[in-house]
Amino acid sequence: MDKIIRATAADGFAKMAVIHAGNLVEKARAIHGCTPTAAAALGRTLCAASLLGNAMKEEDAALTIRIHGGGPIGSIIAVSDCEGNVRGCVSDASVDPPRRPDGKLNVGAAVGTDGMLTVSRDIGLRTPYIGSTELVSGEIAEDITRYLTESEQIPSACALGVLVNADGTVRAAGGFLVQLMPGAPDELIDTLEENIFMMDQLTLILSEDDEQELFRQVLKGLDPQILEESPVEYRCPCSPERMEEALTCIDKQDLAEMIDAGEDIEVCCDFCASRYVFTVNQLKAIAVRKMLTIPAVPFPEEGETDRVDTPQQ
Ligand code: ZN
């Protein structure tokens, strides 16, 4: 089972969250048909989104990470709900550049470094809170660390890893995020830096040990206290209604052309590959609604007469 575990340490001056996400990253890989490098790039971004989303307090909040580094993979998008359940996609999942000299997957070469990492937090207000930073390495974890430190002004350390089997499936995935609270003493920063420098390779810990080992190594000497554990999974909330809503946003001309073609259209969800079919009559209704710019209402079932909703007493 995939999960996020939270802990506090050093008298509350340090917070740490660990994510175990092998199943959800494998699901993402299978849905999108990712190469090992694309699976690592998407998987790391999904883990980061899950860690940040899970930390949001507001109910129904959502968090989106967008990475566009000018590399061959194109854009990476990962969306999390406030529990840390995530979905994501990449522009080109077939990218697989040669490995790095140290034998590791070359995520940085696939993502590129000429671009931005953008995080948008939607907490139900009219406009989401959006922050962004320039990419450092395209390796994701370093970029997330820079974003949190520069844009959100929280001293942070982040490590993310995806381990791929010889057959291309995901063996282990996950990582951690450590953040310092205001007033944290300088020695704490030194200790954490040294612990992280000395720790075993992340993917090795993720594939061979339980999460306790990550807390033990990263928070060594800092008296970690485990706070809570929550399950996370790959989850897409798409539905016929949401897809219809999306169709309402497409260009009028494109919609007219689809209607003229006289055939049902099939729309595929970018995140989970679910397919939704819309008939020409449904497309016409969408076009009419678009002209009138009235909010979406569900289509009446065949044979059902149009209803006028009256306010409930
Ligand atoms: Zn979907």
Side-chain angles (χ1 to χ4, degrees), residues 109-151:
V111 174
T113 52
D114 184 18
M116 306 294 285
L117 177 147
T118 304
V119 177
S120 93
R121 293 172 187 272
D122 183 352
I123 56 168
L125 303 175
R126 189 176 298 228
T127 48
Y129 171 76
I130 298 174
S132 58
T133 43
E134 286 183 10
L135 293 173
V136 190
S137 66
E139 293 279 337
I140 317 295
E142 282 174 283
D143 305 301
I144 291 287
T145 302
R146 176 166 181 176
Y147 166 78
L148 292 169
T149 306
E150 284 187 2
S151 186

Side-chain angles (χ1 to χ4, degrees), residues 87 236-239 243 269-274 276:
R87 59 192 187 275
C236 185
C238 69
S239 64
M243 277 297 164
C269 174
D270 286 340
F271 296 114
C272 70
S274 293
Y276 297 91

